[in-house]
Amino acid sequence: MAVWNPDNIKDVAESIGIASLNDDVLQPLSSDIEYRVSQVLEEALKFMRHSKRMTLSTQDVAQALRVLDIEPLYGYESTRPLRYGEASIGPGQPLFYVEDEEVDFEKLINAPLPKVPREISLTAHWLAVEGVQPSIPQNPTLADSRNQELVPKGPGANPNLAAISGADNVTTKPLVKHVLSRELQLYFSSVCNAVLDENNEEYRVAALASIRTDPGLHQLIPYFVNFIAEKVTHGLKDLFVLTQTMHIASALLDNKNLFIDPYVGAIIPPVLTCLVGRHLGSSPEPLSHHPLRNIAAALLGSISKKFAKSSHTLKPRLVRTCLRHFLDPTKPLGANYGGIIGLQIIGGTEVVRAAILPNVKQYESLLREPLEDEGSPKQLEAEAVLTALIGALQLLEEDTVDGMKGMPNGNGHNGIDSQALEEKVGPLVASRVLAMGRPRFVKALLEA
């Protein structure tokens, strides 16, 4: 016997125009209705249990109907529990209905209007300027910064976070486990110690050769990248450590067995720091950091050439960064030097013609005062910057040498328009170029 009352089926049939329904049909219909209702309730109870609730809601039933591909009920998507009233239409025939809330129109009309929502708008603000966060309402406060010190620090955390918070020795268990064999852990530790060993060049060469050729270092790539970023962040005063980290990055890029593409974005910032950093090393020698900047420039040139096809915006972004450090008068001469050699190696002749040559005359005014200070460290740095500037401009001569094969390139200024050259590159650079005695070089500058 079916639980569902056959009289309800008769009432529904009469409501849709079926006056007389055979009793033989009522029993199968009652059984089918009972099965369908129990199926919907089972699915609805699943949603209730997964929601960690003990009360079945109309949303659970609606979701169950949607899962069973049945048209959902309309008008019962309420977050408040429904209140049912009871009305009697006869003896033993109660009728249940949903009680509607009575609304007093007078109170509704006299109620204050809600606040008008603000229009959607976008504003720009500086998150950081030269690494310093401005004190504006949009940026985190000092209290928020103190709360950030409680963020877990360790191998799985941001490598620069410990340096910012000043808690270098805090170690916590990383949230994500990275399965790394005992052999690879020992290898990584041994290679890092060997590369940073100042007293044993043989170990350093062997360790870099292993990174450059070993085909089984895929799992160690993020560890090496993290090691490079950490050492550059904490060792800006140690030229040896900075140079060795650049050699590690170069060795990783030279290893043809490794897939470095996902890690290029993490390798570039430390390399750029070694190229255009304000103060690198603590040596009293004014030019002691130039070899490091040359290595970083060569490394960025290799990265730009190797990954330009996979990232079309990589080369323009590097060029913009180097150009900004080249033309910024507030930067030290070392950063200007890094910007010049970076533009030369990354962009080649096209960037020299489009970015360096038009700004030479404006930039040489920054070099006059240091060059006049005889015997000072700044004079040596200014001379190095001027030499790098002229060396970059020489790419223009190499690019146009095929069209000047019949033109002599010896000593003498015959046929050279000195005035035009000074107007083009400024008197300081023009005098150095004319002293080189290379008419083809001068012609290339005037025609560029």
Side-chain angles (χ1 to χ4, degrees), residues 8-208:
N8 293 337
I9 301 176
K10 284 186 179 181
D11 295 338
V12 174
E14 290 176 358
S15 67
I16 61 176
I18 303 175
S20 60
L21 193 62
N22 194 343
D23 293 340
D24 296 336
V25 179
L26 290 176
Q27 187 64 31
L29 282 177
S30 299
S31 301
D32 186 67
I33 291 172
E34 180 183 345
Y35 169 72
R36 300 296 178 186
V37 171
S38 63
Q39 188 180 19
V40 171
L41 288 176
E42 286 179 3
E43 292 293 334
L45 288 172
K46 291 180 182 178
F47 282 100
M48 180 193 74
R49 285 192 291 268
H50 283 292
S51 300
K52 308 297 183 184
R53 286 185 281 102
M54 299 298 293
T55 304
L56 190 67
S57 66
T58 56
Q59 286 87 351
D60 298 329
V61 178
Q63 293 291 345
L65 293 173
R66 189 174 289 108
V67 167
L68 296 172
D69 199 17
I70 303 173
E71 186 176 3
L73 299 176
Y74 299 101
Y76 289 96
E77 290 290 336
S78 174
T79 56
R80 296 180 299 173
L82 299 178
R83 294 185 303 171
Y84 290 92
E86 182 180 353
S88 179
I89 60 175
Q93 293 185 352
L95 177 66
F96 295 94
Y97 63 95
V98 179
E99 293 184 352
D100 292 331
E101 182 181 357
E102 295 183 359
V103 178
D104 189 347
F105 280 104
E106 185 176 354
K107 291 182 179 180
L108 185 63
I109 293 173
N110 296 328
L113 295 175
K115 292 183 178 180
V116 179
R118 297 179 62 183
E119 294 184 1
I120 298 176
S121 60
L122 297 176
T123 58
H125 69 276
W126 287 102
L127 181 63
V129 180
E130 293 294 335
V132 179
Q133 180 178 279
S135 297
I136 57 178
Q138 291 85 351
N139 284 339
T141 61
L142 292 177
D144 296 333
S145 301
R146 294 191 188 99
N147 293 335
Q148 287 295 324
E149 296 179 2
L150 302 178
V151 174
K153 307 174 184 67
N158 189 338
N160 300 327
L161 193 58
I164 297 174
S165 62
D168 299 355
N169 298 325
V170 177
T171 57
T172 59
K173 185 177 180 180
L175 298 179
V176 180
K177 293 182 179 179
H178 188 181
V179 180
L180 199 63
S181 65
R182 183 69 177 174
E183 291 78 9
L184 282 177
Q185 295 181 28
L186 182 61
Y187 172 86
F188 176 75
S189 177
S190 301
V191 167
C192 291
N193 292 333
V195 170
L196 298 182
D197 188 357
E198 292 189 59
N199 302 321
N200 199 325
E201 184 179 359
E202 184 180 356
Y203 280 5
R204 295 200 303 269
V205 173
L208 293 173

Side-chain angles (χ1 to χ4, degrees), residues 7 12 18 23 66 86 91 134 159 182 213 221 233 235-236 254 296 300-301 307 309 313 328 338 376 379 418 441:
D7 293 337
V12 174
I18 303 175
D23 293 340
R66 189 174 289 108
E86 182 180 353
R182 183 69 177 174
T213 57
I221 296 177
T233 302
L236 290 176
D254 291 341
L300 278 181
F307 301 100
K309 293 183 179 179
T313 61
D328 192 347
S376 67
Q379 185 197 15
S418 303
F441 184 22

Side-chain angles (χ1 to χ4, degrees), residues 143-324:
D144 296 333
S145 301
R146 294 191 188 99
N147 293 335
Q148 287 295 324
E149 296 179 2
L150 302 178
V151 174
K153 307 174 184 67
N158 189 338
N160 300 327
L161 193 58
I164 297 174
S165 62
D168 299 355
N169 298 325
V170 177
T171 57
T172 59
K173 185 177 180 180
L175 298 179
V176 180
K177 293 182 179 179
H178 188 181
V179 180
L180 199 63
S181 65
R182 183 69 177 174
E183 291 78 9
L184 282 177
Q185 295 181 28
L186 182 61
Y187 172 86
F188 176 75
S189 177
S190 301
V191 167
C192 291
N193 292 333
V195 170
L196 298 182
D197 188 357
E198 292 189 59
N199 302 321
N200 199 325
E201 184 179 359
E202 184 180 356
Y203 280 5
R204 295 200 303 269
V205 173
L208 293 173
S210 177
I211 298 174
R212 190 174 287 109
T213 57
D214 198 321
L217 302 181
H218 295 278
Q219 286 186 301
L220 289 178
I221 296 177
Y223 290 87
F224 278 119
V225 173
N226 181 49
F227 177 78
I228 293 170
E230 183 180 358
K231 290 302 177 183
V232 171
T233 302
H234 295 275
L236 290 176
K237 298 297 182 182
D238 194 334
L239 285 177
F240 175 77
V241 172
L242 295 177
T243 303
Q244 293 307 111
T245 55
M246 293 300 99
H247 287 319
I248 294 176
S250 178
L252 287 173
L253 293 171
D254 291 341
N255 194 328
K256 298 180 180 180
N257 302 297
L258 302 180
F259 184 62
I260 306 291
D261 295 51
Y263 304 96
V264 172
I267 293 176
I268 289 178
V271 179
L272 273 176
T273 300
C274 293
L275 175 65
V276 295
R278 296 181 66 91
H279 303 290
L280 302 175
S282 56
S283 174
E285 294 293 331
L287 305 182
S288 59
H289 51 87
H290 281 207
L292 172 63
R293 297 184 191 272
N294 294 334
I295 295 173
L299 188 55
L300 278 181
S302 176
I303 292 174
S304 175
K305 184 178 180 181
K306 188 174 182 180
F307 301 100
K309 293 183 179 179
S310 59
S311 178
H312 299 291
T313 61
L314 175 62
K315 186 174 179 179
R317 285 189 286 119
L318 293 176
V319 169
R320 283 196 297 269
T321 302
C322 292
L323 182 61
R324 186 168 63 250

Side-chain angles (χ1 to χ4, degrees), residues 327-407:
L327 297 178
D328 192 347
T330 63
K331 300 287 184 183
L333 293 175
N336 297 155
Y337 174 84
I340 293 171
I341 61 175
L343 289 171
Q344 176 186 354
I345 296 178
I346 295 171
T349 307
E350 296 179 2
V351 172
V352 171
R353 181 181 289 109
I356 295 182
L357 183 59
N359 296 297
V360 170
K361 185 176 180 180
Q362 176 186 355
Y363 177 76
E364 77 162 18
S365 60
L366 302 176
L367 298 177
R368 289 174 184 168
E369 183 177 348
L371 288 173
E372 294 173 356
D373 192 1
E374 294 289 341
S376 67
K378 282 195 173 183
Q379 185 197 15
L380 298 177
E381 289 193 78
E383 284 287 352
V385 171
L386 185 58
T387 302
L389 197 57
I390 296 176
L393 295 176
Q394 289 180 22
L395 292 180
L396 300 175
E397 179 188 6
E398 298 173 4
D399 187 52
T400 57
V401 69
D402 293 336
M404 303 181 184
K405 288 184 177 178
M407 185 176 182

